[in-house]
């Protein structure tokens, strides 16, 4: 999953609008997205462990 995020970020830097914003903004956005995905993964892991469905 993190490989996918890194690949998409690299693609955005090379070809997309991310190339037009400062690198520091891009790095902060990448960290925020990675943290959000990490929290989501942990919540899903704990929900499956308990046998409950989120919803």
């Amino acid at each position: 999953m993190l490989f996918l995020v890194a690949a998409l970020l690299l693609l955005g830097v090379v070809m997309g609008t991310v190339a037009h914003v400062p690198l520091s903004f891009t790095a902060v956005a990448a960290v925020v997205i990675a943290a959000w995905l990490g929290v989501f993964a942990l919540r899903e892991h704990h929900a499956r462990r308990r046998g409950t469905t989120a919803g």
Side-chain angles (χ1 to χ4, degrees):
M1 172 84 80
L2 290 178
F3 175 76
L4 179 61
V5 171
L8 289 173
L9 179 64
L10 183 61
L11 181 65
V13 168
V14 173
M15 299 180 74
T17 59
V18 176
H20 301 287
V21 298
L23 184 60
S24 59
F25 177 80
T26 303
V28 169
V31 168
V32 168
I33 292 169
W36 177 59
L37 288 172
V39 169
F40 176 77
L42 286 173
R43 288 182 62 192
E44 286 293 313
H45 177 72
H46 288 297
R48 289 178 189 260
R49 208 172 200 192
R50 285 191 219 121
T52 60
T53 58

